[in-house]
């Protein structure tokens, strides 16, 4: 009766170790007596080959051994291990599964299958094998904890919790069990319990970095960011070289509005590793957000010199110049970015902003003209913005040229029709304005600003007042807290002679928007019509003080009404 290969191997080793077997000085291999002995010798030879790095030869030897003893689980498992060592995971898995199919309790084959599935993160496939190993070795705490962790990773944290809670009843001081139970609680979103067990770990093993990191992560998941920062800082005391954790602390300091500390943290990160572009940019942007524009510019200039071809660096440098009202410095940076990628709308918007800040309406029109003949059609959003910039510069013909061309490309864009209608109104082309605003509302009937604009225009022109009221009332329904739209409603009521309703609406508009000159002017007109002349003068004077230019002829109106008031004796 032959011994199993593994037992034979072990028996020989033990006999040699204790000196029970003596070898003759001139050793010659024993002749093969039967197939099992030949398979055993090949098994030992392959083991030697594997240990000395000749995996390919070991595979050949083990394959030969399987021909002599095809049912040996030890030889097949060793062959599967050799396949894995050679990188052939598929053949390793097939061979290991062959062993387990015939020998379900084969320890090494089960462990190999667990390892193979874990390599692929196929935890659900690994779990049955690992559970069987735990059944085979019920006193192996390491295996049990490994199983619980895998159950957590396989999204079965409840099973891990049940398993580890039972284990901790018998082993209440097991830090690894508390740690993995905490991870399972965190995965199950039971964060208070997770924190409780992580804290046990950090109290028992305060020198272990991993415990503090996991405690910080649990606090962060719970939204307790200051506590997370404290835990992460404990971890950094143990390992100050954990750069990713240092970055996370800096980010949390920003999130908790501890900006000065965050700036200090990023300054440390940058000093430790000057080529960390992300940390460099975060520091510069923190300075920018704090309006420390000189410091931000100094940083960004240095970063730009080091990374001159990085578009994000160039973009943020341009924004800093823009914030400092340095359009001449911002424009060439933004122009370079726009030429490289005309589809980048953010860059385009800032380029137009800076050209507008310089009052360079010709450059804006040139940008539009170049875009018309570019490889890609200009986006409707950009065309809209170009036209609005020209209109703000009172370059009305240029704005009109842009909108008319844009509508040929985007005829169903209600925003373009709205802006063209507003432009026509400014040029007193009222019929064209009415037509464009109506078309805008046909395409999108629930635009509060278009409804308000058209309704207010009708009231100003003293036409279609009933329609005007419907339009503005609908705008108020859509934007009930907009003081400007409520003022339009007051004005329509005024034009209709419904003075009490006009007064109430205007007073409400001023509650929402108390510092608008036009609303105060309207309030004055309404009070005058109601015979409350003193109140009218108060509001007209307020309008004059706020922005006399917003109400053409206001000073003259006040003078005329004062004269009338004096003639009538004043009220």
């Amino acid at each position: 009766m032959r011994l199993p290969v593994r037992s034979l191997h072990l028996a020989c080793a033990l006999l040699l170790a204790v000196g029970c077997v003596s070898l003759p000085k001139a050793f010659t291999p024993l002749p093969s007596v039967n197939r099992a002995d030949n398979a055993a010798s090949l098994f030992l030879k392959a083991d030697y080959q594997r240990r000395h790095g000749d995996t390919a030869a070991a595979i050949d030897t083990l394959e030969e051994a399987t021909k002599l003893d095809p049912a040996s689980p030890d030889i097949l498992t060793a062959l599967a291990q050799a396949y894995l060592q050679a990188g052939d995971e598929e053949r390793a898995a097939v061979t290991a599964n062959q062993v387990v199919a015939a020998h379900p309790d084969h320890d090494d084959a089960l462990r190999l299958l667990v390892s193979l599935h874990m390599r692929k993160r196929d935890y659900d496939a690994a779990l049955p094998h690992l559970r069987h190993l735990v059944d085979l070795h019920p006193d192996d705490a390491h295996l049990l904890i490994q199983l619980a962790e895998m159950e957590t990773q396989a999204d079965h944290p409840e099973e891990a919790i049940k398993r580890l809670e039972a284990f901790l009843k018998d082993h209440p001081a097991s830090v690894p069990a508390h740690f993995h139970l905490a991870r399972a609680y965190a995965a199950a979103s039971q964060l208070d319990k997770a924190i409780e067990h992580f804290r046990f770990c950090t109290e028992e093993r305060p020198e272990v970095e991993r415990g503090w990191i996991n405690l910080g992560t649990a606090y962060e998941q719970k939204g307790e960011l200051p506590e997370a920062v404290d835990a992460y800082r404990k971890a950094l005391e143990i390992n100050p070289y954990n750069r990713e954790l240092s970055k996370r602390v800096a980010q949390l300091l920003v999130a908790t509005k501890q900006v000065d500390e965050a700036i200090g943290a990023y300054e440390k990160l940058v000093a430790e590793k000057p080529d960390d572009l992300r940390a460099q940019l975060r520091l510069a942007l923190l300075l920018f957000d704090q309006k420390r524009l000189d410091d931000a510019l100094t940083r960004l200039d240095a970063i730009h010199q080091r990374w001159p071809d990085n578009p994000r660096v160039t973009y943020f440098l341009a924004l800093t110049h823009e914030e400092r009202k340095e359009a001449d410095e911002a424009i060439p940076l933004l122009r370079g970015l726009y030429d490289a990628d005309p589809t980048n709308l953010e860059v385009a918007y800032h380029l137009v902003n800076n050209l507008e800040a310089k009052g360079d309406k010709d450059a804006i029109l040139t940008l539009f003209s170049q875009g018309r003949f570019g490889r890609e059609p200009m986006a409707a959003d950009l065309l809209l913005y170009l036209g609005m910039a020209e209109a703000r510069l009172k370059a009305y013909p240029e704005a009109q040229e842009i909108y008319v061309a844009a509508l040929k490309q985007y005829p169903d864009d209600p925003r373009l029709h709205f802006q063209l209608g507003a432009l026509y109104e400014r040029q007193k082309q009222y019929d064209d304005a009415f037509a464009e605003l109506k078309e805008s509302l046909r395409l999108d009937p629930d635009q509060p600003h278009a409804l308000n604009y058209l309704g207010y225009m009708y009231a100003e022109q003293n036409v279609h007042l009933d329609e005007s009221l419907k339009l503005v009332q609908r705008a108020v329904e859509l934007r009930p807290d907009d003081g400007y739209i409520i003022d339009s409603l007051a004005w329509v009521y005024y034009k209709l002679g419904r003075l009490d309703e006009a007064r109430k609406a205007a007073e409400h508009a001023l509650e929402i928007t108390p510092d608008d000159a036009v609303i105060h002017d309207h309030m004055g007109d309404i009070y005058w019509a109601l015979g409350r002349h003193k109140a009218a003068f108060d509001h007209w004077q307020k309008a004059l003080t706020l922005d006399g230019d917003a109400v053409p002829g206001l000073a003259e109106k006040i003078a005329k009404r004062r004269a009338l008031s004096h003639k009538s004796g004043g009220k």
Side-chain angles (χ1 to χ4, degrees), residues 496-517:
L496 286 166
R498 295 162 62 171
L499 297 180
D500 195 51
E501 291 167 288
R503 175 189 60 77
K504 290 176 182 177
E507 287 174 348
H508 182 38
L510 283 173
E511 288 172 1
I512 299 171
T513 312
D515 295 324
D516 183 80

Side-chain angles (χ1 to χ4, degrees), residues 247-263:
K247 288 182 179 180
R248 188 62 193 146
V249 169
Q251 291 166 1
L252 290 178
L253 289 170
V254 174
T256 54
K257 302 189 186 310
Q258 301 178 66
V259 180
D260 290 338
E261 286 193 57
I263 289 172

Side-chain angles (χ1 to χ4, degrees), residues 436-453:
E436 290 298 330
L437 290 168
K438 286 179 181 178
E439 179 63 10
S440 178
L441 287 169
R442 185 189 70 79
L443 293 165
D444 183 0
D446 288 333
Q447 298 177 76
H449 294 299
L451 289 162
N452 177 63
Y453 206 111

Side-chain angles (χ1 to χ4, degrees), residues 49 63 81 107 161 282 313 344 376 390 440 464 475 532 548:
Q49 290 166 330
E63 286 177 344
Q81 291 168 340
D107 200 271
I161 290 168
R282 284 186 180 274
V313 173
N344 189 325
E376 299 290 335
E390 292 284 31
S440 178
H464 310 304
R532 296 172 59 178

Side-chain angles (χ1 to χ4, degrees), residues 123-333:
Y123 302 119
D124 284 322
L127 278 173
H129 302 302
L130 191 51
R131 285 176 180 142
H132 190 45
L133 280 168
V134 169
D135 292 339
L136 293 172
H137 305 281
D139 296 328
D140 189 329
H142 175 75
L143 266 181
L144 184 141
I145 289 171
Q146 183 184 359
L147 172 57
E149 177 63 18
M150 188 178 292
E151 286 170 334
T152 298
Q153 291 176 336
D155 202 22
H156 308 303
E158 295 81 6
E159 295 178 31
I161 290 168
K162 183 178 178 180
R163 192 179 303 279
L164 288 167
E165 283 180 340
F167 178 81
L168 280 169
K169 287 180 181 178
D170 297 326
H171 307 85
S174 172
V175 174
H178 279 283
F179 178 81
H180 289 282
L181 178 57
R183 284 175 57 83
Y185 275 131
S189 299
Q190 298 183 48
L191 296 174
D192 287 331
K193 289 186 177 181
I195 289 168
E196 176 188 342
H197 287 277
F198 280 135
R199 288 188 64 83
F200 176 90
C201 297
T202 57
E203 288 167 4
E204 293 294 315
R205 301 275 179 83
E207 74 283 359
V208 178
E209 175 192 13
R210 190 181 178 198
W212 291 108
I213 292 175
N214 278 270
L215 176 60
T217 302
Y219 276 130
E220 195 174 339
Q221 286 177 310
K222 195 180 175 189
E224 296 180 1
L225 301 188
E227 290 80 0
V229 170
D230 290 341
Y232 290 149
R233 281 176 165 166
K234 289 284 189 181
L236 288 169
E237 289 176 10
I238 298 165
N239 178 15
Y241 304 106
N242 188 334
R243 187 169 179 81
E244 290 307 310
L245 189 57
S246 295
K247 288 182 179 180
R248 188 62 193 146
V249 169
Q251 291 166 1
L252 290 178
L253 289 170
V254 174
T256 54
K257 302 189 186 310
Q258 301 178 66
V259 180
D260 290 338
E261 286 193 57
I263 289 172
Y266 277 114
E267 285 175 339
K268 184 173 182 290
L269 285 166
V270 166
E272 291 171 350
K273 193 175 181 182
D275 62 348
D276 187 338
L277 175 57
R278 179 172 291 186
Q280 291 271 18
L281 278 177
R282 284 186 180 274
L283 175 56
L285 293 178
L286 271 176
L287 295 168
F288 179 91
D289 289 340
Q290 294 303 300
K291 303 299 181 185
R292 291 171 55 179
L293 298 180
D294 291 343
D295 293 335
L297 184 62
T298 300
R299 288 271 176 190
L300 286 164
D301 268 330
I303 298 170
H304 191 249
Q305 288 175 19
R306 188 163 187 170
W307 289 280
D309 298 324
N310 186 295
R312 291 184 72 232
V313 173
T314 305
Y315 177 69
F316 290 130
L317 178 58
L319 291 197
T320 305
H321 281 302
E322 179 181 318
E323 192 70 15
R324 288 162 57 91
K325 313 298 183 188
E326 296 168 350
D328 286 332
E329 286 75 15
I331 287 169
L333 295 168

